[in-house]
Amino acid sequence: MTTIAELHDRARQRLVPEYYDYFAGGAADETALADNERAFRRLALMPRVLRGRADRDISVELPGARASMPVVVAPTAFHRLAHPDGELATARAAAAAGTVLIASMAATVGVGEMAAAARAVDPGAALWFQLYLQSDTRVTETLVRRATDAGCSALVVTVDSPVFGRHERDRRNGFADLPAGFAAENMRDLPGGRRNIEMTPMSWEHLDRLRASTSLPVLLKGILHPEDAHLAIERGADGIVVSNHGGRQLDAVPASIDALPRIAEVAGGRVPVLLDGGVRRGSDVAIALALGAVAVGVGRPVIWGLAADGELGVRQVLELLREEFDHTLALCGGQGPADLTRDLVTVRGPEGGKW
Ligand SMILES: Cc1cc2nc3c(=O)[nH]c(=O)nc-3n(C[C@H](O)[C@H](O)[C@H](O)COP(=O)(O)O)c2cc1C
Ligand SMILES: O=C(O)C(=O)c1ccccc1
């Protein structure tokens, strides 16, 4: 396989159609889903010449982790529907690639098992834990304890989901929940006996409470409005993930990459800004970094790799992105991620863009 697109094709052939739709789908008309990829195609890189080096270093420093490249695994649910090894395979592949795995609260393997699988490959493997704040504080605290005990080095709180997204493919297919034999393993034996993941409107005060209860860095995932980036930093967030949830929550939102520049401007280097949504090529990674991200997350590409070929498939996806990004950096005359500056990005078309 030479591209993520080919792994996607293979995954489509292998997956149960209802599960394929669950992974591939977005909200409502899937406008944001499509725009996430399309928006990268509307942008172009302006390479610099006669200043590159052969000894490039593409590793990046992130909260609680150093990653071998500016690509991390975004949190996605239900990996056992893509491959029997599920999140164990994903965890091993991320560890082999030397990058951060953001474990989903909705994983079909518990975070402790994921961490153990990753550490068997590389004792220094880094994991973060993604969570939705739960209205019962005891539930949130139990989840944080499980993540901490597993050795997670940061928490990623997803803030774009006060309600579930309108996944119309799933409605049509009658796909509402995990089939028998699968479970959201992090949700076992919780105070109050709840097993399901609650999505409910939460507030900045809930976040304050979480921050007071843990010493782990807390990143907020799903920020699109610059004013929320400002509030997040003011409230002590340790990082921001610019994301429209892969087009699965509000459909009437901009592409993640289009929302990035203003948020990077607000952050002004005070906290790291990450981006996810629509990253399919190393050049997409380079564009995101040039527009102010320190790293990007990939969601569906990892699932396509997993469905295509388990751990090996996920490894392939991550190695393709590494190779392509390094190649792009070389062609742009860069030695490291810091050489990707905003002046390298322009809008496609005869007039170019004003950045
Ligand atoms: C099937 C699927 C499940 C997801 N599950 C979660 C989740 O449990 N928690 C979360 O914060 N984001 C979740 N996301 C969103 C991803 O973290 C990420 O924002 C998105 O997939 C990025 O876009 P991409 O798929 O184009 O790379 C999910 C996305 C997909 C496609
Ligand atoms: O499907 C999703 O995008 C998602 O975020 C999620 C949240 C809870 C349970 C399963 C998936």
Side-chain angles (χ1 to χ4, degrees), residues 88-109:
L88 294 175
T90 315
R92 291 180 187 122
T99 198
V100 177
L101 168 73
I102 312 179
S104 168
M105 172 171 168
T108 44
V109 169

Side-chain angles (χ1 to χ4, degrees), residues 22 77-78 106 132 161 164 167 197 199 245 248-249:
Y22 167 69
F78 305 167
Y132 295 101
S161 307
F164 274 103
H167 298 176
I197 292 165
M199 284 182 171
H245 209 115
R248 295 163 75 83
Q249 287 297 113

